[in-house]
Amino acid sequence: QLHLVESGGGLVHPGGSLTLSCTSSRFALDFYTIGWFRQAPGKEREGVSCLSNSDRRTKYADSVKGRFIVSRDAAKSTVYLQMNSLKPEDTAVYYCAAEEGPYSDFCTIEPGQYDDWGQGTQVTVSS
């Protein structure tokens, strides 16, 4: 297992920004497809964004399109989720997940496709 670790969550005012990080304590993430998901209290886990292992394909949920950006720093073996113009409805525990597979431009924000999951980081958007 990858032992994924998310960081960067916290409390932010509406309209503010946060950047979440996803790393592995055991392996480099360079060749993994990475997905970001979130789960708010009383709601099902929701796909937010994904990045293919080629780094050429990204995908975003409609609710975050234009506000969130997913990226990878291969040198640091870290995947980021930059979250801008945050809204109270973005409040949730955010998880990163990884899928190992052949080199491709494909990624999905369907949670069932991912093999390894982090423990999550809390993001709270409130005034």
Side-chain angles (χ1 to χ4, degrees):
Q1 291 198 341
L2 289 175
H3 292 283
L4 296 173
V5 178
E6 304 94 338
S7 61
L11 173 64
V12 64
H13 293 308
S17 298
L18 281 175
T19 298
L20 306 183
S21 301
C22 175
T23 62
S24 168
S25 61
R26 299 191 65 188
F27 299 102
L29 295 181
D30 302 10
F31 304 110
Y32 286 83
T33 297
I34 300 296
W36 283 97
F37 299 83
R38 67 186 181 187
Q39 188 165 18
K43 295 188 176 182
E44 292 188 356
R45 189 167 294 189
E46 173 191 19
V48 175
S49 180
C50 64
L51 175 65
S52 68
N53 60 15
S54 70
D55 286 350
R56 289 197 294 255
R57 175 67 185 270
T58 59
K59 188 172 184 178
Y60 299 93
D62 288 344
S63 57
V64 307
K65 202 170 293 182
R67 300 188 296 123
F68 289 13
I69 301 171
V70 62
S71 63
R72 188 192 315 261
D73 184 333
K76 296 181 179 180
S77 192
T78 300
V79 176
Y80 301 98
L81 183 68
Q82 181 181 339
M83 307 186 296
N84 303 313
S85 303
L86 283 162
K87 305 175 181 180
E89 51 263 43
D90 294 317
T91 295
V93 177
Y94 283 71
Y95 302 87
C96 66
E99 178 192 21
E100 185 178 19
Y103 186 79
S104 80
D105 293 336
F106 175 80
C107 76
T108 178
I109 54 175
E110 293 296 325
Q113 293 291 106
Y114 292 87
D115 306 312
D116 290 275
W117 291 79
Q119 294 300 306
T121 185
Q122 175 70 46
V123 172
T124 303
V125 185
S126 175
S127 54

